[in-house]
């Protein structure tokens, strides 16, 4: 045993280093969850019955879902194009897709506000004449979430389509399938695991967004904003149970979808 | 590079959003700059929030502040006495106005007498800050309720507030009690923001036509504003009894009763640098500080008025 | 019938240049070429996956140059078979049928038929990744022919398999081809495979078709040294034409004279090509119809499995091929003197 | 041409859909930048001379760099282990690495506050007895950034190491290189492009973090917080130039590193 | 000398079972086996990249079972050559040398030497991806031998190459082996390659070494039907031993009697193995030393490049191999009656 450790010195050191960062994550979340459950289970239970909290969590989940849906509808086709076609400016487009990831959320929030504000917003004004109001309204939340979360879905879906051998598509076409039929029956199912992973990430990213949303929409309050307000107004003991509940819900969804995507028959190559 | 500049003493000032400009704005002369000039080894760091949130940061979140300055002095005895402090000074006052810009709808029509009619129009969007976290917010409610009395129009509060939000009002023992739930659910016609200053952005951007603001804020941001009658603008000690007729019950259960707008300031007991905190308070109520307040449209109370166990250091600057 | 008329196409780092090709109805046409010659791309072009920059493709007297691949009615089998990994064998095969909007019973019937024909009925519910290479190939072929294409394109269908399976599946391919009378284009880099299967062969190099002809023509009369080398002509020897009369040519190599049949002019420098298997080795000079006889010394014997490669120095180097039995019978070994002979008609002059 | 469009109907539709989402990103950011530059170039210039703004941007960049550095030191070894070794609970570890991505930032902020607070924090208390204060101090910013940004570096580095054929490592060892030497000379250089990409993402993620940081540290003010405060206190006209400046800096760094990583000789397989 | 003693190792879906193997000093040992037999894993185990679950590995009388690979002094060449893509050819080759802490001039000298020996000096500043397969292989070999290993392990070093290059590089391998007197283990699935190179062969199937012996032994006396089939014995025919006297055995197949040399007991059911190249075909009965002579009808002629596979029905099916020239000389074609003969010693009885 000792001999083995000596032989594998580097791996042992690596494991220790890696362990620290895992421990950091686990301790940070675990400590909060444990503290809440042990010291103030009542507070947690109360929060699960507070309609304001539940409403805002529901709002967050729902808008995040909408944002992911929109990202899916517009992003999956884009991902397919990026995976399959070579064209001038492609790497520019790819960089643009990544930009929301590098832009600070609050700056993105200000940008979103500038564009989507009711009066004079480049997009907000025309939309509001269609009776779609973004400022302080659900569409605004969805747009803000979309901005920050779409890159995750697009990049993941692109990797997915790239992992599908174009020859499979060629064969399908030679067998008489149209481009669209080929996409539906071959490319999409084979890239599905990647797309699902991307959607989970995108949803998680959307539900956790705070900075970008609050500039445009401070009402209705998404869960992160409610939590911040509660923290500022009443402190840790009031806001922590909401955090615990939210984390719990997110982790449940995450674990569930992750298991689902792992069980999804692994026909793809990696 | 300033990453906290360790050799300097940090003086933490938690203040109401409406004090942001005179305290730490971008003007050439602010409390922060003037004080740091006077005490070069001190680094003033300002944290701005709604007045209630400002106090809660100390009392509930467990942060330490050397000075707390809020837009409603009465919050200090109500929320901080006796555990966190046992004194405060009243150092400035203010009045409620209805701010707007020249792009606002009906900007050329509005005046002291018809403002509530214009706010009633369905194509007008107006805003106030959150009554649960900002005194300016609950004062906006009071203004609307008092307007019913003043203009003799019993529908003003219902039309402007009750029908657009989950806030309700009722008459009880000759007092108008306005209840603000946690979930205000504003309609598309009104905008509720955390701090009144935020509404300025809406006005400037055109998303908002009118907003209830402190006069100081309106002035500082160069907005146009409707001066409201003294009977309802919560500025005059003369109408203190009138103001008293309204009461706002916040979601937390705390009740705020109408009173003239007077800014209060204190040094919490758990401050890291209580002496410096006192120095800062002293500076704000000194004539130099009062000049600064004045220059930003925030009329100082001269001399400042102390209440409770005012520390000796301040005794000669304060009337009680 | 497939006619490819002056087709060119540029990719970023590769191009197909001016391809002219005609494949007759029912023919088994093999495109033979080294790796990266552009064979796969050419097949994909024919199938319509890419569109040529120039030129036209005609199938059965119809210009199909711009037709989308799903309208072409061409069966395609890729090198790695490209079975749909998320579908079972049955679903793979019926993929094309389902698109044809035929009654369900007919689909089932055709499916049964083709699966029986290729002996894969027992695999119908398995997923591709659980199949061996040979099984996968048969499924791929079944999937291709079940839609009754007029043309079948096979991209190195045997190269991923081991020698035994290769030989078995060659038979199978020939059987299917005969049975369905399919016009077939088969791509390979393996000369043996080409020889074993082709009615005609097109040799492809560097994006060009350099020679087309029967296997006999390709292997014995390569058009240039590149083809000659590629198709396994190991003896390429330089010489000068001494005389040439009505095809009967004599060529001087060092001090030796070789007789050949060619129209080269006297005095010109030529290269003669001679396949190793065309050379007969005897222990001593014998009389035979072969016009060229040289004695020489064996320099090396290289075992190649069932055969041996014999390197002989006859004043010029010669490589011959003989079976193991013959080698043992003749008692060949390095250093031994032998007599080599080959017919004038085996000599190809470039 | 028209015939071609008809033939490629699906791709045309896909391109249009994809174009919309690209346009959304471009318009949102472009509109803000343009508005700022055209309408208020003076404000932008003033901001570039405001020491408070510059300090906070510098603080953000610097702490984000530290967070990335820490993530690098601990995360790259972990990534290597995850890429090379099979062990019980590996997919659990992988899920834990992903958890910070799905946990809402504000909830993470509360968790971080719980653990790192000066008094009674599971890690904060011991650290503060070592004179390392996290609450309202630089280490707190770094820890909060580390929490949210480490997954990006780890996942990217893991993919990088996975793309290195283990046979190359085997060969290096057979040539006499120790495990560590092999790592330094073969595995790391070959995975470097991925690691660099991961580091950029991680840095960007750290610099843009807002929700997780503000609970633990409201002073010194990172740039996103300063921006938020300015927005809250003075509105759009004061905060927008900061946003523009910050976006400009982030994009510059991003584009620069992206070009660098593209030019990095592409020895890896993809 | 390498001795592998009862080595076993389990992976999740595959295991090496109880491998016993001895490779003598300076020997060229070939491990021959089909795809997925575990050949690569066995080599990796010998090189120390994996540690066995059971058993021991000895190299030059030292137990190296638990030694880390960098201490073993073994050169390894992978199937795909695994050149370090981010290093130039020169840097690749000097990678191992630099670790040896030898003076810089010595490094340069050795480098020059080995690059000259393998004729790759002109490539020294190129990156691996710009090299052809053959060039890559030579670089990989150079990298392996420059550290002067006592043992060289080659994992299918030729399988990625085309036939011509294969044959050329086989020569090269033999030359290097002879020159450096390296104990070499070479893994392949190609019988021809094994035959051409091996001093001795170990046949591996399904994670086990099933037979070890000289090429002669392996190819003519396979230990069971699996090996027989794998090494290309195409004639495997069932029969019953009629009599057996001092090795001279007669075996009845249908109505025919075959003479063989074996110790099988009379009355037992056996299978006889006969390689196609051991069968001689003549137009009519001839006298020869071959004890078995049968006449039959050619059913099929399959071209295999330089040779033809002749399928003959002699009452039982026989497959023979003959060169193209012989075929033409004899005028063979399907349906023709011929006489086949083979020696009793060519018949291997299972
Ligand atoms: N889709 C593609 N786009 C651009 N270039 C390609 C594409 N596919 C292959 N190539 C390049 O074109 C050249 C010819 O490739 P092709 O696959 O047609 O060769 P091949 O003759 O089929 O070779 P092999 O025997 O290896 O299959 C190669 O250099 C290859 O890298
Ligand atoms: N690192 C590994 N861990 C676990 N299983 C492996 C590993 N490498 C290969 N295998 C599996 O072990 C079996 C034997 O693989 P191996 O590569 O040794 O076969 P091989 O005889 O070299 O075949 P080939 O001729 O295809 O190279 C295969 O089923 C393969 O999937
Ligand atoms: Mg190909
Ligand atoms: Mg192998």
């Amino acid at each position: 045993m000792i001999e083995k450790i000596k032989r594998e010195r580097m791996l042992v050191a690596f494991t220790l280093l890696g362990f620290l960062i895992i421990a950091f994550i686990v301790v940070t979340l675990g400590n909060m969850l444990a503290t809440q459950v042990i010291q103030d289970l009542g507070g947690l239970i109360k929060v699960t019955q507070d309609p304001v909290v539940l409403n805002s969590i529901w709002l967050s989940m729902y808008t995040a879902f909408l944002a992911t849906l929109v990202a899916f509808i517009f992003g999956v086709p884009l991902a397919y194009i990026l995976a399959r076609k070579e064209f001038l400016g492609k790497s520019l487009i790819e960089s643009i897709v990544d930009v929301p990831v590098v832009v600070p959320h609050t700056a993105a929030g200000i940008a979103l506000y500038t564009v989507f504000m009711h009066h004079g917003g480049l997009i907000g004004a025309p939309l509001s004449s269609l009776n779609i109001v973004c400022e302080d309204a659900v569409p605004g939340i969805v747009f803000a979430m979309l901005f920050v979360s779409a890159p995750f879905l697009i990049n993941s879906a692109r990797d997915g389509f790239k992992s599908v051998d174009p020859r499979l598509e060629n064969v399908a076409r030679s067998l008489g399938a149209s481009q669209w039929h080929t996409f539906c029956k071959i490319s999409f199912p084979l890239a599905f695991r990647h797309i699902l992973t991307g959607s989970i990430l995108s949803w998680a990213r959307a539900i956790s967004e705070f900075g970008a949303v609050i500039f445009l929409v401070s009402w209705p309050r998404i869960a992160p904003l409610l939590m911040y307000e509660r923290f500022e107004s009443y402190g840790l003991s009031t806001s922590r149970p909401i955090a615990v509940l939210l984390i719990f819900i997110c982790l449940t969804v995450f674990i569930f979808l992750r298991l689902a995507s792992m069980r999804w028959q692994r026909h793809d190559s990696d | 590079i300033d990453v906290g500049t360790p050799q300097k003493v940090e003086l933490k000032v938690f203040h109401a959003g409406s004090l942001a400009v005179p305290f730490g704005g971008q003007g050439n002369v602010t409390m922060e700059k003037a004080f740091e000039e006077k005490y070069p080894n001190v680094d003033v760091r300002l944290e701005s929030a709604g007045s209630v949130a400002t106090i809660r940061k100390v009392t509930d979140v467990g942060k330490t502040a050397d000075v707390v300055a809020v837009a409603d002095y009465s919050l200090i005895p109500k929320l901080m006495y006796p555990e966190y402090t046992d004194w405060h000074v009243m150092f400035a006052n203010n009045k409620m106005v209805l701010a707007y810009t020249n792009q606002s709808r009906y900007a050329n029509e509005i005046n002291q007498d018809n403002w509530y009619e214009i706010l009633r129009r369905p194509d007008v969007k107006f805003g106030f800050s959150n009554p649960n976290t900002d005194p300016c917010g609950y004062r906006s409610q009071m203004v609307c309720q008092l307007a019913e009395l003043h203009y003799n129009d019993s529908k003003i509060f219902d039309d402007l507030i009750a029908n657009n939000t989950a806030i309700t009002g009722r008459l009880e023992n000759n007092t108008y009690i306005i209840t603000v739930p946690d979930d205000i659910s504003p309609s598309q016609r009104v905008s509720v923001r955390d701090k009144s200053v935020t509404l300025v952005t809406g006005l400037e951007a055109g998303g908002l036509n009118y907003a209830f603001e402190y006069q100081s804020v309106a002035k500082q941001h160069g907005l146009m504003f409707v001066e409201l009658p003294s009977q309802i603008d919560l500025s005059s000690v003369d109408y203190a009894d009138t103001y008293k007729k309204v009461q706002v019950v916040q979601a937390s259960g705390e009740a705020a009763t109408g009173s003239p707008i007077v800014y209060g300031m204190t040094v919490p007991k758990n401050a890291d640098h209580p002496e410096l905190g006192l120095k800062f308070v002293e500076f704000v109520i000194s004539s130099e500080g009062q000049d600064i307040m004045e220059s930003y449209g925030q009329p100082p109370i001269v001399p400042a008025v102390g209440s409770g166990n005012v520390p000796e250091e301040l005794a000669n600057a304060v009337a009680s | 019938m497939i006619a490819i008329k002056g087709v060119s196409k540029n990719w970023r780092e590769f191009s197909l240049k001016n391809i002219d090709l005609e494949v007759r109805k029912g023919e088994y046409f093999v495109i033979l070429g080294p790796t990266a010659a552009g064979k796969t791309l050419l097949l994909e072009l024919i199938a319509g996956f890419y569109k040529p920059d120039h030129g036209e493709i005609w199938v059965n007297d119809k210009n199909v140059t711009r037709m989308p691949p799903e309208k072409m009615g061409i069966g395609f089998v890729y090198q790695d078979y490209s079975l749909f990994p998320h579908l079972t064998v049955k679903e793979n095969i019926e993929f094309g049928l389902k698109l044809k909007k035929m009654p369900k019973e007919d689909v089932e019937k055709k499916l049964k038929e083709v699966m029986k024909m290729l002996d894969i009925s027992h695999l119908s519910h398995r997923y591709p990744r659980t199949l061996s290479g040979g099984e996968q190939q048969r499924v791929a072929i079944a999937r291709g022919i079940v839609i009754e294409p007029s043309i079948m394109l096979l991209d190195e269908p045997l190269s991923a398999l081991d020698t035994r399976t290769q030989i078995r599946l060659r038979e199978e391919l020939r059987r299917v081809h005969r049975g369905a009378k399919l016009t077939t284009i088969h791509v390979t880099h393996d000369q043996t495979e080409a020889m074993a299967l082709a009615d005609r062969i097109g040799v492809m190099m560097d994006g060009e078709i350099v020679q087309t002809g029967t296997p006999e023509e390709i292997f014995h009369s390569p058009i240039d040294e590149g083809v000659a080398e590629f198709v396994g002509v190991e003896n390429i020897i330089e010489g000068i034409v001494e005389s040439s009369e009505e095809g009967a040519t004599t060529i001087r190599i060092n001090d030796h004279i070789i007789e050949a049949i060619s129209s080269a002019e006297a005095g010109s420098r030529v290269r003669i090509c001679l396949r190793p298997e065309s050379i007969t080795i005897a222990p001593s000079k014998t009389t035979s119809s072969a016009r060229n006889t040289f004695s020489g010394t064996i320099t090396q014997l290289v075992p190649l499995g069932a055969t041996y490669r014999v390197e002989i120095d006859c004043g010029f180097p010669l490589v011959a091929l003989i079976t193991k039995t013959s080698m043992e019978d003749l008692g060949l070994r390095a250093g031994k003197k032998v007599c080599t002979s080959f017919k004038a008609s085996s000599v190809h002059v470039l």
Side-chain angles (χ1 to χ4, degrees), chain A residues 180-228:
Chain A
W180 172 244
H181 193 261
T182 303
F183 178 79
C184 294
K185 295 284 169 160
I186 306 295
S187 327
F188 186 82
L190 286 174
F192 183 72
R193 229 166 46 84
H194 277 91
I195 296 175
L196 184 61
T197 310
S199 301
I200 300 173
L201 270 184
S202 168
W203 182 82
R205 187 67 183 70
I207 208 173
S208 69
E209 187 48 37
F210 176 52
V213 176
I214 54 174
F215 288 87
L216 192 56
V217 184
S218 60
W219 201 279
R221 281 174 300 184
I222 52 171
L225 179 57
L226 182 75
M227 210 164 1
Y228 182 62

Side-chain angles (χ1 to χ4, degrees), chain C residues 158-176:
Chain C
L158 302 171
S159 70
L161 306 171
D162 59 86
T163 327
R164 267 180 313 143
T165 320
Q166 268 185 22
I167 294 177
R168 198 153 41 77
L169 288 179
R170 265 187 226 157
E171 299 293 305
E172 194 121 22
L173 284 179
R174 224 189 273 117
R175 192 163 57 82
V176 169

